[in-house]
Amino acid sequence: AQSVTQPDIHITVSEGASLELRCNYSYGATPYLFWYVQSPGQGLQLLLKYFSGDTLVQGIKGFEAEFKRSQSSFNLRKPSVHWSDAAEYFCAVGVGGYNKLIFGAGTRLAVHP
Amino acid sequence: DTEVTQTPKHLVMGMTNKKSLKCEQHMGHRAMYWYKQKAKKPPELMFVYSYEKLSINESVPSRFSPECPNSSLLNLHLHALQPEDSALYLCASSQVQGETQYFGPGTRLLVL
């Protein structure tokens, strides 16, 4: 069965520090992969996506992610975190002909000043 | 413009009430989705509409009734809900089914 695992429920970093959020997926075919961010009480904003091609994808707000097929991973990175990056981050895989999104449990990011 | 709008932002209803949630997009997208998100949980797909026709129903109870009156509008009619239905209801749209989904801000529903 398809699934997405985000091993870190909660991460705290200092402002200006680098960030990596982990995501592992389980899916038999080539996946469509996404990272969304959700601020408290808000909807989800798309950060970036991977469908095919270059395995390093750039997104908005200075985020990037790297698809590693051998590790079934799609980790999100940012070189320098800003206080406004504090939010919940969801990794998702699109499966099936209609691209049903299966979300990971999410990683809550806190940023210390 | 990648905006999906949802109204109302907040809704409180009793178990005998009938209410509706509304979702609108003007991006020319032909696929629209309803998700339910419980507190501290990821979103879960409820329904998918493609070209104004119901494409997917993820075994949602009949007290939730979706409607897609035109290509820009998606409604979710609520009737005889239970307190456990309290959640954030998110709408999303994509150019066609299978493409990247863009989400609205959600309607936070409380059932008393």
Side-chain angles (χ1 to χ4, degrees):
Chain A
Q2 307 93 352
S3 66
V4 177
T5 302
Q6 294 180 246
D8 304 304
I9 296 174
H10 193 274
I11 283 183
T12 300
V13 298
S14 298
E15 192 169 18
S18 63
L19 173 70
E20 182 170 29
L21 303 183
R22 296 182 290 164
C23 172
N24 293 96
Y25 67 90
S26 173
Y27 183 53
T30 299
Y32 292 175
L33 294 163
F34 305 85
W35 276 99
Y36 286 89
V37 61
Q38 186 176 35
S39 296
Q42 301 297 312
L44 279 73
Q45 182 180 23
L46 178 69
L47 284 177
L48 47 78
K49 61 186 178 183
Y50 172 78
F51 281 14
S52 65
D54 193 348
T55 57
L56 183 63
V57 293
Q58 302 297 320
I60 63 170
K61 303 184 179 185
F63 285 94
E64 67 176 26
E66 186 171 12
F67 170 59
K68 293 185 177 179
R69 184 186 301 276
S70 61
Q71 298 176 20
S72 297
S73 69
F74 189 57
N75 294 348
L76 182 71
R77 299 193 294 250
K78 186 170 184 178
S80 178
V81 171
H82 188 263
W83 64 266
S84 60
D85 293 323
E88 186 92 23
Y89 290 79
F90 290 100
C91 179
V93 59
V95 301
Y98 62 94
N99 201 24
K100 172 182 177 178
L101 289 179
I102 296 177
F103 288 88
T107 297
R108 179 161 296 277
L109 174 67
V111 180
H112 279 328
Chain B
D1 182 9
T2 56
E3 187 177 19
V4 177
T5 60
Q6 290 187 244
T7 55
K9 290 185 178 180
H10 301 275
L11 179 63
V12 180
M13 60 185 292
M15 290 188 284
T16 58
N17 292 158
K18 287 185 180 181
K19 296 288 186 183
S20 297
L21 310 184
K22 178 180 172 181
C23 173
E24 200 160 7
Q25 55 86 16
H26 296 286
M27 297 178 278
H29 289 178
R30 302 311 299 271
M32 298 185 77
Y33 310 75
W34 279 116
Y35 286 82
K36 174 181 179 179
Q37 185 180 23
K38 300 283 283 183
K40 301 188 186 302
K41 297 290 186 182
E44 294 181 338
L45 182 67
M46 300 174 72
F47 303 103
V48 180
Y49 271 83
S50 179
Y51 291 90
E52 296 96 69
K53 294 193 186 319
L54 183 63
S55 175
I56 300 293
N57 177 340
E58 291 283 306
S59 303
V60 178
S62 59
R63 58 186 184 268
F64 295 91
S65 176
E67 178 197 21
C68 190
N70 60 58
S71 60
S72 300
L73 192 56
L74 183 67
N75 298 319
L76 186 63
H77 302 298
L78 314 173
H79 174 55
L81 294 193
Q82 304 297 310
E84 59 264 29
D85 296 321
S86 299
L88 182 68
Y89 287 85
L90 294 163
C91 175
S93 71
S94 62
Q95 194 156 14
V96 293
Q97 195 169 293
E99 295 293 323
T100 301
Q101 295 175 37
Y102 296 91
F103 285 79
T107 293
R108 187 161 299 281
L109 173 67
L110 177 62
V111 182
L112 299 177

